[in-house]
Amino acid sequence: MCLDLGACGVRGMAYRIRNAEIDRSAYYSVDDFDTVFALKSVIDELERQIGTHFESAYITGNFGPSFFKMTAKNTVWANDHKITASDIKSQIAEIDAPDGFYPMHIIPLRYDTPKIRNMLSPVGHSDRQLVSAFSALFFDGEYMKKISEILRHAHIRATAFYAPQFLGNSVMRARKQTIMFIDFGAENTTASIWTDRGPVWYNGRAVAGNDLTTEISTRLNAPFSDAERIKRNVADLHPGEFARFSPADSAYAFSCADVNEIVIPFYKNLIKSIHDDCAEYIEKYNPSKIVICGGGARINGIEDLIATHFPDIQITKKDTDWAVRTLGEYIWAGELPRRRAYIARMQRVQNRFARIARIFHRKPKTQKRNVPILPSTLCFDMMRPETYTMFRAADISVIHVDIMDGLYVNRIAGGLDELRTIRASWAGHLHVHLMTDAPAEWARGAIDAGADTVILSTNTAGLRDAIKIVRASNRRVGIALNPESSVSLLKSVLRDLDEVMIMAVTPGAAGQEFNQDVIHKISVLNATRKKYGLKFTISVDGGINDKTAQLCWAAGADALVSGSYLANSADFPLAVQSLLKKS
Ligand code: DX5
Ligand code: ZN
């Protein structure tokens, strides 16, 4: 998951990676000054869309006051010394930040040794002295603390922080090109110039979008939130003759032109001061492009205002989701060597297998055994043939199809059409879990669509009829027992069931935590079954992982359903094996 934390909104991008490829991605944003609220909403929505639970994220955003410095480090050894990677690392570690700041991006500019100058990397070279120059971006410690606090509230760990312009440079700049970034944030405006050698000029100023909103709010005598909305709706550096306030804001005795009389000088001053600060560097490094981003880039005509100060430079305007998208691209590009290695490894295994198969002139006999692990469709893409191939490769013989009608549980998922599609792709057993009202109708539908086992939910009207319908069609029938229900609820129907499925989570979503109380229920059911000589199987659904699985087996379970644990593991067959382990 990648997040862009801004002062007045959060943007998020999440990816699901399978077999070294992105197989699903989602974008979501919330504009709100309450960053904790915005962050939680974004995470919830992305988790819902991707079907997984995130614990950590890559972070970008405007991290408050920041500045840039070139630093040089010098190490002297008594005798000739072979320079190693760890020497360079310790030089980097020595870069000291001024009080209250710490370095975030450190870019090596040059290594000099007395004998060799400007070498790319001195590692392996023998010398007595190593001098290196770095460019470093430093960020305000207070802001970073605030951000960590916000993330902690949302139970998210930061894997790494990246300044948006650092990312922009890495993703957008071609070799030998110089580009400039201007990021119009809510609390800070940052501008920088990047060459092959990293940033050569970097400037963060505290005058930004929120100051403009404050100004509008004072002059209009309107609350800050109204002023912010008016700014977003109205600000236009090319105001049209007929531009009007939206009906919600028409109560203010101001016109759009009045608002723009505040907006235009504000941006004129801001851009002029950026121009004056960097004029010398523009002349020296001659950037071919200015990339403008951040909330301020949304203002109509801002590029023309910039063009008046930087007439010969091409201006590119980026959307508000640019920073978070760029972060995603940067991380993904960094993963490239690992992806290539993964694909090469798979290829080698396949080639070796093919060679062995050729030696014997026939496919080696694989003794298929049925494993009592049921992957849940909620967490897999059942439209892709690869999913079924993967299941087969791990000896899966039963698929657990989750169906939710939006009434019995809040969500709608699966459905009879999906069940039919799965049936068409899968010759094995289909174990259908109906989290629906009207169990009799759904049971009939599920049987017609190809179910082999139908699991019904308790607390539904017509449950007994539904059991009869399934039995009459010679399919297996079971009941899912919700976490809050006790085993005694099933007393009167136990003899009619082929299966009791114990829910270890509240039905409705994958990725929830396993409820330990169910272990006792499994033992009670197991004892009852023995005592009365009954034949029903006991399965468990929800929160299964390699640890909870062992508890279930020990208590007497016969089969386990697993969604997120299997879906999130890098190696599917291995994950299936790990669920089969009995202590
Ligand atoms: C929950 C479903 C389960 C769920 C299992 O309503 O019935 O089948 O997908 O997913 P995990 O293993 O992630 O809890
Ligand atoms: Zn289920």
Side-chain angles (χ1 to χ4, degrees):
M1 181 164 61
C2 297
L3 295 170
D4 175 11
L5 298 188
C8 65
V10 172
R11 274 145 240 288
M13 194 87 215
Y15 303 90
R16 192 170 75 181
I17 313 293
R18 212 127 317 124
N19 291 332
E21 288 302 332
I22 295 178
D23 89 340
R24 190 179 290 182
S25 70
Y27 170 78
Y28 195 67
S29 72
V30 171
D31 282 330
D32 201 292
F33 286 98
D34 181 347
T35 317
V36 174
F37 161 79
L39 180 63
K40 284 187 176 155
S41 318
V42 167
I43 294 171
D44 279 352
E45 177 57 24
L46 291 177
E47 288 188 337
R48 195 189 66 74
Q49 288 193 30
I50 295 288
T52 192
H53 175 70
F54 292 101
E55 281 173 357
S56 61
Y58 296 96
I59 313 289
T60 185
N62 243 318
F63 298 115
S66 57
F67 73 93
F68 156 71
K69 204 169 99 184
M70 304 248 206
T71 16
K73 288 283 153 202
N74 188 0
T75 313
V76 184
W77 293 281
N79 298 308
D80 267 2
H81 171 91
K82 187 114 170 218
I83 298 165
T84 64
S86 77
D87 292 324
I88 309 266
K89 258 200 207 139
S90 68
Q91 279 207 340
I92 289 176
E94 270 174 46
I95 292 177
D96 39 19
D99 252 6
F101 282 80
Y102 67 88
M104 187 149 75
H105 297 302
I106 298 168
I107 301 150
L109 297 182
R110 205 179 70 217
Y111 295 105
D112 292 345
T113 68
K115 283 177 224 142
I116 306 171
R117 295 192 71 78
N118 279 343
M119 54 199 304
L120 199 63
S121 164
V123 170
H125 179 78
S126 283
D127 218 299
R128 287 173 181 229
Q129 195 182 3
L130 173 66
V131 183
S132 49
F134 301 95
S135 67
L137 293 182
F138 297 91
F139 283 81
D140 183 297
E142 278 307 309
Y143 265 77
M144 297 299 281
K145 253 208 271 164
K146 198 173 98 189
I147 283 166
S148 308
E149 183 92 342
I150 289 169
L151 290 168
R152 233 194 19 249
H153 274 292
H155 304 288
I156 286 287
R157 214 165 7 88
T159 310
F161 288 101
Y162 299 93
Q165 309 186 40
F166 169 86
L167 297 169
N169 168 64
S170 316
V171 169
M172 291 187 60
R173 198 180 52 78
R175 271 190 61 207
K176 296 205 172 136
Q177 196 186 31
T178 300
I179 56 181
M180 180 172 178
F181 293 94
I182 309 178
D183 185 345
F184 294 100
E187 281 186 356
N188 295 281
T189 306
T190 323
S192 57
I193 300 174
W194 299 71
T195 71
D196 275 355
R197 306 190 115 190
V200 287
W201 179 77
Y202 188 97
N203 177 294
R205 58 190 72 221
V207 177
N210 282 353
D211 300 293
L212 176 57
T213 310
T214 309
E215 208 175 318
I216 296 175
S217 143
T218 342
R219 302 259 299 264
L220 267 184
N221 198 15
F224 190 85
S225 53
D226 280 9
E228 176 71 18
R229 188 181 56 240
I230 290 171
K231 179 181 84 176
R232 289 190 187 196
N233 291 343
V234 172
D236 188 337
L237 303 176
H238 298 310
E241 218 178 307
F242 300 108
R244 290 268 182 278
F245 272 22
S246 70
D249 300 315
S250 57
Y252 291 107
F254 250 67
S255 67
C256 294
D258 295 330
V259 173
N260 285 313
E261 250 164 56
I262 310 171
V263 174
I264 296 171
F266 177 88
Y267 278 109
K268 268 195 177 152
N269 285 340
L270 183 58
I271 293 165
K272 180 170 185 323
S273 76
I274 293 172
H275 170 265
D276 292 350
D277 280 352
C278 70
E280 164 193 350
Y281 296 89
I282 294 273
E283 195 165 316
K284 185 164 170 198
Y285 294 103
N286 194 16
S288 57
K289 181 154 72 179
I290 298 179
V291 179
I292 56 172
C293 53
R298 271 188 294 212
I299 289 184
N300 229 344
I302 195 157
E303 62 274 41
D304 299 315
L305 205 52
I306 295 173
T308 58
H309 284 286
F310 303 92
D312 304 322
I313 312 177
Q314 178 206 334
I315 296 164
T316 312
K317 204 159 128 163
K318 294 293 179 191
D319 295 343
T320 33
D321 65 352
W322 175 74
V324 74
R325 260 192 296 116
T326 311
L327 174 58
E329 280 170 42
Y330 176 80
I331 304 293
W332 189 234
E335 286 288 310
L336 202 66
R338 274 175 54 184
R339 277 163 59 205
R340 290 211 175 113
Y342 174 88
I343 292 164
R345 205 162 55 235
M346 298 293 282
Q347 203 66 52
R348 273 203 303 278
V349 170
Q350 271 168 19
N351 289 347
R352 202 168 306 152
F353 183 80
R355 234 179 8 248
I356 294 169
R358 266 201 307 278
I359 293 170
F360 290 103
H361 285 291
R362 61 186 162 113
K363 279 195 189 148
K365 249 201 215 134
T366 41
Q367 193 79 53
K368 288 273 178 206
R369 32 184 205 99
N370 293 344
V371 297
I373 301 295
L374 286 57
S376 146
T377 52
L378 220 48
C379 297
F380 292 91
D381 188 347
M382 304 313 292
M383 298 299 140
R384 283 165 58 104
E386 291 90 309
T387 305
Y388 301 91
T389 316
M390 180 174 81
F391 286 179
R392 260 179 243 115
D395 294 346
I396 296 294
S397 50
V398 186
I399 297 180
H400 177 85
V401 184
D402 280 308
I403 296 185
M404 306 181 190
D405 65 347
L407 297 167
Y408 184 76
V409 290
N410 284 334
R411 218 177 123 187
I412 297 182
L416 296 181
D417 277 341
E418 186 178 288
L419 181 56
R420 271 185 281 271
T421 312
I422 297 171
R423 179 74 290 167
S425 324
W426 185 251
H429 194 104
L430 290 182
H431 187 261
V432 177
H433 181 188
L434 294 176
M435 286 163 273
T436 64
D437 276 349
E441 272 95 275
W442 277 97
R444 238 181 249 120
I447 290 164
D448 287 344
D452 298 297
T453 294
V454 178
I455 304 288
L456 305 156
S457 290
T458 53
N459 299 327
T460 48
L463 190 57
R464 270 177 193 280
D465 282 348
I467 295 173
K468 273 191 210 135
I469 290 168
V470 184
R471 300 219 71 151
S473 351
N474 271 328
R475 305 298 203 281
R476 293 180 75 252
V477 65
I479 285 191
L481 192 66
N482 286 342
E484 71 279 4
S485 309
S486 97
V487 171
S488 58
L489 188 75
L490 300 177
K491 243 191 208 154
S492 60
V493 284
L494 220 42
R495 281 179 191 281
D496 292 317
L497 298 180
D498 297 297
E499 181 171 348
V500 176
M501 187 170 84
I502 310 268
M503 293 303 294
V505 298
T506 309
Q512 304 177 66
E513 204 178 319
F514 184 84
N515 182 335
Q516 299 280 347
D517 298 348
V518 305
I519 299 299
H520 177 67
K521 282 197 226 172
I522 302 171
S523 314
V524 172
L525 260 177
N526 194 18
T528 313
R529 173 166 70 169
K530 278 193 191 130
K531 187 168 165 198
Y532 296 106
L534 298 174
K535 290 267 169 332
F536 61 84
T537 52
I538 303 174
S539 58
V540 186
D541 185 8
I544 295 295
N545 58 36
D546 50 352
K547 291 175 197 72
T548 55
Q550 293 203 10
L551 303 176
C552 295
W553 297 133
D558 308 299
L560 305 178
V561 175
S562 166
S564 40
Y565 175 79
L566 289 181
N568 292 341
S569 59
D571 187 334
F572 183 81
L574 213 65
V576 171
Q577 287 307 315
S578 74
L579 291 183
L580 288 169
K581 250 183 262 150
K582 303 193 178 172
S583 54

